[in-house]
Every structure is written in structure tokens, then in C-alpha cells.
Amino acid sequence: MAGVFTRAGNFTILQRWNAYHARNLSKIGGVQRRTLLTLATQAGLAATASASLRRPGLLPHFRSASPEPDAQPPAAQPRTVAHPSPEQKAWQNLEMGMFLHFGPRTWQHGAMAAQPTPLSAMNPHLLDTDQWAQTALDLGAKYIVFVAKHQEGFCWWPTETTGYGIRNIPWRNGTGDVVGMISDSCRRHGLQFGLYVSPRDDHFGAATGGICKTAAEQKRYNQIYRRQLTEVFTRYGPLVEIWFDGSTATPTGDLIRKYQPHAMIFQGRHATIRWVGNEQGFAPYPCWNGIDRADAETGTATSLDSDPNGSVWLPNEVDVSIRRPHWFWRPEGETVLTEDQLLSIYYRSVGRGAQLLLNIPANTAGLLPQQDCQVAKLFGDEVRRRFRRPVAQTSGTGSTLTLNLPPGSRVDTAVLQEDTTYGERIRAYRLEGLSAGQWTTLGEGSAVGHKRIQPIPADASSGQMTAIRLSVTHSAAPPVIRSLAAFNTGVAPPADWNAPAMVWAANLAGGWSNHRFSFDITHSVQAAGQYRLRFVPLTGAITGLRDVVLWLHGVSEPGLWRPAPGHPDEILLDITGTRESSVKISGFVEGAFQGQILLQKL
């Protein structure tokens, strides 16, 4: 998934950002945009960055990642507007997968090189896909997404479309098929299997999204890429997930519907899941599954585009590499995440209702490094120890649900889950504990969705608590609680379990801090018309916007903006003139201290 604009080179973050900022990035999509924002955020340039980046098979066998209570919600319950397909719900139940990057860049110390790796150098003589699968099981992953073709264009299956692939390397005298091997290993080990097949192809000359320079080249590449997809879609059984990193200009919908209709699709116009918006391993909170249809149809929406009242269900996937800062293996200069760091990622991804996809890359021998495997197992063992057996568990419907605890039991963590068959209904909740006949607040939150891990304060988990109560204080419809479970993990949660996360979106226009915003949206306004500014808090809630001033051509225009009816976090703008016009806006955000601002043309 790394691109020439993403994880290559030895520039500092700021140098890399400045270099990219000087170029015309308006046509760069997907992976390039998303990593650039991560770089810019680290360099303190989020607002500048966002402005510059304008511009069939059989149904897979899914396994539930948590026990299902016996109680079932009544069939007559109404659904909210957005709700998951059966395949989306089953995919979210998997909760965690393992990403596996392996390709020519593995022989280039994980980086892009001026000259591609000679095929004669690629000989993974110890390659063992059963080791890969066992590591995924140790990790706690329920599926593997293998990078069958990265942007260099090298193919790990015996494709008939190009000579740049496994048929022309020394390993097994060109008769091998790594995609087939890992597919078989996944089946033997009870894992689901997914593929990353890059639309970008440097060997052919197709840029991000598979976009070519001429119509003739585009037609030829579309034919090649569709043949490649047909090969992998028909040879390796049902796929749980397919990555079109950076979206794809090549028509793929008919192939998906014909050969892999149950697979989750990452990016592109047929996307059924989306990228969270950073590569650090953290989802924001709340991390809503709903999204407006217009945002979903861009094919590159992130969690920042979320709207709990949106009409489309588009769950978020958090991808992060165990080796920092690279996705491909290199022999030195990398830091492997620790068990504690992975636990922090788990609480801030799965614990916020998102999917976790942890990358563990193979080395030149074709093995996952021993250190990576050891850390993955330590992490997986600890997650299983903490959350395998609840002290008590219940389910139910309505705005209040009480969980009685066994006498003398100690609990330090609650795990909440909605039955998302009926949508994501909870908008705000309070968790309370009963001790000595008194109910006290243990924690509060907004989104629950597929899962919310809610640690309980240490002073309330001493063993005197006899019941836990979930009180839903705001909901879009009667809540349907799949599970309210209490656990005794015996340890404190990660110190940053509730920390905010910075994410990126294609329509990110700026941000605010200390309640105040002031920024230039000239480059984000492509034409005259009506626009919407939506304010997304990092924490807390927005209660209103005031002291707003809109400057157009250097003149204050109070008549060209207005609050969006019923939305205290939105402003509507009527922009006149052309893209050369200067457009600036400032004001004060009531409620949330800081956050990010999205701009959308209506």
C-alpha cells in the first residue's frame, strides 16, 4: 500500500510535506492523500495539508468474535435509516485481521528505489505460508489480507497478463503460486482470506487509481487489470475482503458481482468498507458507521466523513504496521511495536467499534520475523486473557438495561454492543454502578455500534459493586443491546484509551483550536455555488457557532452565510464568483475545544 508519495525516502516529515506541497496534488487519490495528511498532522500542518489536497463464490464462513446472548430482539423492531448488509455485519464480527506486505520492495530494504528489484534477486527460499497463518491465529486475527500485487505491478500468482511476476523469479523455478499457498493455509487454519490487488501499476505506467496518460493506454490497462482481477477472483475461492487502494478508474463492479459478491470492498465506487483516515492504528471516538450517500460514493471516504444519521452503512477499518514506520520488511532502522502499544491500538480501534488490520510483513526468506511473531502472540494472548470470559453478561431492548453481578465479584471493564442489524441507534449513554444501594456514574459516551470498550474507574471496581446499569440518554430509535458484559481484566487500561485521534478526509478544509477558527478556503472552492461547512469535534460536542465572519473578495458578506437548520455544527455558504476569488471565514465554536472542519459543495 505504500506509494512513491507515501512511505519512501529519507526526508524528514516536514521536508517531505513541503516537497509534496509544492506539487499539484489535486489529482492524487486514496493512499497518497491519506498518508500525506498523516505526515502533515505530525508536522503541525493539518490545515495547510487539507487545503493542498483538495482537489460469487460461496458466502465465506464468518465466525463471531464474541459470545452471542440467547435473547433475541423482537422481529417487529423498526430499522434506522442506515443498517449493515448481512455480509457487513459478519465482517465486523471478525473484528481483527492481519495484513501482509511482501513484494519487490522487500528486497529494497522496504523503500522505493530508482531501479526496480531484479527478478533474479527474488528467491524467498524458506517461504512458509503456514507460519503466516499460525501467526495470524496467535495474533487473534480472523482473516489475512495478502498484498498479491502492489504498485510496482509485480504479481505473486502465475498471471497470464504480464511477465513481471512469480513465473520469472528463481523460486521454485518459476512454478510457484504464493497466492494459492496462502489461500490454502488460511483454509487449513480456519482463517478467512482477502487480497490487495493494486490498481496502480508502475510497471505498466498506470498511476494512482489505475489512471493512464492516454485513452489508448487506459483502454489497454483496463483490459489487463480486469484480467488480473478475474484470475484472482476465480482461482482462490471466496474472498472476505478486496483492497482497491487509492480507488480504481477501471470498471470492476460487474466482476465483483459475478465472482465475489460477498466480499467487503475497500475503496472505489463499490466500496462497502472505508479507511479510518490515518495509519497510526487509532479510530476517532465516536466512530460512526453511518455516512451520507454522496460521501460514500466518492470511494475514498474516511471516518471523518461519518454522520450517525447518514443513509449508508460504511464501517471503518484501521490499518497499521507492526513495524514503524514501514509497511515492507527491512533489515534495520525499524521499531517493532510493543505489546503495550498494540493494546493501546486495540482499545482505540476495536474498542471504538472499528476493524483492526495489523500488518506483519514477510522478509526476503519468505518468513515473518521472529520478533514480530513473538510480540503478536503476546498481544493476542493478553487480549484473550482479558476478554475471553465475562464475569456477567446480558442483552435486551430499551433505554435502560441492568446487569446483576455475582456477589463479591470484581469488575474493571464493561463492553457494550448494539445489535447493528437494526442500525446504530444509541447517540449518548451513561454507565452506572450500584454499590451500597447507591448508583454512581462509571462513564459516559456517545457511539456504541458494534463495540465499545469502557474501562471502569479503579475506585469503583473494588468488589463492592452488585450491578451495572446502562442508561441510554439519547437514541435515534429504541436501542437493541446485543451485549452488556462486565470483565475483570485485573490490570489498568492503556493510559491513552480515551485519547482523541487525528484523521484525514478528502474534503478536510481546516480545523479549530481554543474554540476559534480562521482559515482560507479559496483553494477548496472550485466554483460558485452553495457549500456546507461541517465541524467535527475531537472530543465533546458542539452546541453552536457564533461570531462568524465570511470574507469574499476581501469584503465581509454577512448575507452569504447562515446556520444550517437543526444542525448546530454546520454552516451553509453561498459563494459567488470563480475559483480565483478570495474566500476566508472565521468564528467561534461553542462547546468543543478543538476539531476539524469539512467542506462540501451542495
Side-chain angles (χ1 to χ4, degrees):
M1 55 186 306
V4 65
F5 295 103
T6 56
R7 307 182 187 104
N10 297 315
F11 300 112
T12 65
I13 289 171
L14 186 57
Q15 287 171 328
R16 290 168 70 186
W17 172 250
N18 287 338
Y20 302 139
H21 184 272
R23 303 177 187 174
N24 176 10
L25 299 179
S26 62
K27 295 183 180 179
I28 291 178
V31 62
Q32 281 77 10
R33 288 184 185 150
R34 68 194 204 196
T35 305
L36 284 174
L37 195 278
T38 302
L39 296 172
T41 298
Q42 294 172 4
L45 298 171
T48 305
S50 59
S52 338
L53 292 172
R54 275 293 119 213
R55 61 119 217 155
L58 299 175
L59 179 66
H61 172 67
F62 295 96
R63 295 179 296 167
S64 175
S66 59
E68 288 278 5
D70 294 333
Q72 296 294 324
Q77 282 280 3
R79 289 181 171 184
T80 49
V81 174
H83 56 274
S85 68
E87 291 84 0
Q88 285 175 314
K89 184 179 178 182
W91 177 81
Q92 287 185 274
N93 282 340
L94 300 177
E95 295 192 342
M96 184 160 57
M98 189 177 86
F99 221 172
L100 205 156
H101 279 63
F102 187 46
R105 202 175 303 186
T106 306
W107 281 263
Q108 296 168 183
H109 291 185
M112 292 291 291
Q115 297 296 324
T117 301
L119 295 184
S120 59
M122 297 177 62
N123 187 15
H125 60 290
L126 298 178
L127 190 143
D128 184 354
T129 56
D130 283 334
Q131 185 235 15
W132 300 359
Q134 184 58 55
T135 300
L137 290 178
D138 291 342
L139 173 69
K142 301 299 191 295
Y143 61 99
I144 290 176
V145 176
F146 176 63
V147 179
K149 172 196 169 187
H150 201 255
Q151 66 182 48
E152 297 92 344
F154 181 89
C155 299
W156 279 116
W157 74 97
T159 179
E160 302 295 329
T161 63
T162 178
Y164 191 52
I166 197 169
R167 292 185 302 159
N168 288 309
I169 66 173
W171 182 66
R172 296 195 173 184
N173 295 316
T175 64
D177 182 353
V178 177
V179 176
M181 289 177 64
I182 183 58
S183 173
D184 291 343
S185 291
C186 283
R187 277 194 291 272
R188 284 195 297 271
H189 288 79
L191 294 162
Q192 299 295 303
F193 180 52
L195 286 174
Y196 174 122
V197 188
S198 175
R200 175 174 168 176
D201 190 320
D202 294 346
H203 185 71
F204 181 86
T208 299
I211 298 174
C212 301
K213 294 180 180 179
T214 68
E217 289 178 350
Q218 189 70 59
K219 181 178 179 180
R220 180 168 169 254
Y221 181 66
N222 285 352
Q223 293 172 342
I224 291 173
Y225 189 53
R226 284 174 58 83
R227 286 175 60 196
Q228 291 177 344
L229 293 177
T230 300
E231 289 173 348
V232 297
F233 286 2
T234 59
R235 295 180 185 179
Y236 305 109
L239 300 175
V240 66
E241 184 171 330
I242 301 165
W243 268 58
F244 295 113
D245 201 2
S247 193
T248 175
T250 303
T252 59
D254 59 326
L255 300 180
I256 295 169
R257 289 188 296 270
K258 183 176 181 180
Y259 299 119
Q260 296 291 342
H262 303 297
M264 293 296 99
I265 307 300
F266 181 94
Q267 296 197 329
R269 56 182 300 199
H270 304 287
T272 55
I273 59 176
R274 56 180 149 151
W275 179 53
V276 73
N278 65 47
E279 293 174 343
Q280 310 309 307
F282 307 131
Y285 184 77
C287 189
W288 305 107
N289 291 284
I291 187 172
D292 289 343
R293 184 167 301 278
D295 290 325
E297 290 177 348
T298 66
T300 54
T302 73
S303 64
L304 196 57
D305 296 299
S306 296
D307 181 350
N309 301 312
S311 60
V312 175
W313 187 274
L314 200 66
N316 297 273
E317 186 167 52
V318 176
D319 61 329
V320 61
S321 185
I322 198 169
R323 288 181 163 249
R324 309 305 298 160
H326 303 103
W327 291 85
F328 287 87
W329 176 86
R330 60 169 57 193
E332 70 276 325
E334 292 191 308
T335 300
V336 176
L337 293 176
T338 65
E339 176 189 349
D340 286 344
Q341 289 173 317
L342 291 176
L343 285 167
S344 173
I345 286 171
Y346 181 83
Y347 275 71
R348 296 172 66 186
S349 57
V350 175
R352 295 178 175 182
Q355 202 92 341
L356 175 58
L357 187 63
L358 180 67
N359 179 63
I360 304 180
N363 61 25
T364 53
L367 297 172
L368 305 187
Q370 183 178 11
Q371 181 183 2
D372 305 35
C373 296
Q374 290 173 341
V375 173
K377 188 175 189 306
L378 287 171
F379 161 72
D381 286 345
E382 180 60 14
V383 170
R384 286 183 284 271
R385 186 196 69 78
R386 293 188 188 194
F387 298 111
R388 175 173 285 163
R389 294 185 182 89
V391 173
Q393 184 178 23
T394 190
S395 61
T397 60
S399 59
T400 302
L401 182 63
T402 300
L403 173 64
N404 293 315
L405 302 176
S409 58
R410 183 185 185 279
V411 296
D412 55 27
T413 307
V415 177
L416 291 63
Q417 292 185 278
E418 291 186 73
D419 186 342
T420 57
T421 302
Y422 304 94
E424 195 167 22
R425 297 181 167 192
I426 296 174
R427 298 292 182 265
Y429 70 87
R430 182 174 63 253
L431 197 67
E432 300 168 299
L434 180 64
S435 296
Q438 297 292 321
W439 288 102
T440 58
T441 299
L442 305 177
E444 296 178 319
S446 52
V448 173
H450 172 72
K451 177 170 283 189
R452 171 61 169 163
I453 297 179
Q454 178 84 53
I456 293 171
D459 59 358
S461 58
S462 61
Q464 304 301 313
M465 201 159 31
T466 57
I468 290 176
R469 182 170 67 190
L470 173 65
S471 297
V472 178
T473 56
H474 183 204
S475 63
V480 182
I481 309 302
R482 169 180 171 179
S483 174
L484 170 59
F487 293 84
N488 179 24
T489 70
V491 294
D496 61 351
W497 75 272
N498 207 30
M502 183 70 72
V503 292
W504 173 86
N507 58 340
L508 181 63
W512 81 92
S513 182
N514 196 26
H515 299 284
R516 298 188 178 277
F517 62 93
S518 180
F519 58 101
D520 190 325
I521 57 174
T522 302
H523 298 294
S524 301
V525 175
Q526 300 298 310
Q530 187 175 83
Y531 290 79
R532 179 185 67 181
L533 280 177
R534 185 158 69 91
F535 293 70
V536 183
L538 284 180
T539 59
I542 294 170
T543 57
L545 302 166
R546 62 177 173 84
D547 302 335
V548 176
V549 180
L550 174 66
W551 285 277
L552 195 60
H553 317 294
V555 178
S556 174
E557 296 284 2
L560 296 184
W561 76 270
R562 63 189 184 279
H567 296 276
D569 56 352
E570 294 182 4
I571 292 174
L572 299 178
L573 310 177
D574 292 310
I575 304 299
T576 60
T578 65
R579 70 175 64 186
E580 287 77 22
S581 302
S582 172
V583 185
K584 299 180 181 180
I585 190 167
S586 64
F588 187 92
V589 179
E590 295 179 326
F593 181 82
Q594 62 180 335
Q596 297 165 281
I597 305 171
L598 305 179
L599 179 71
Q600 180 182 18
K601 191 176 188 302
L602 301 179

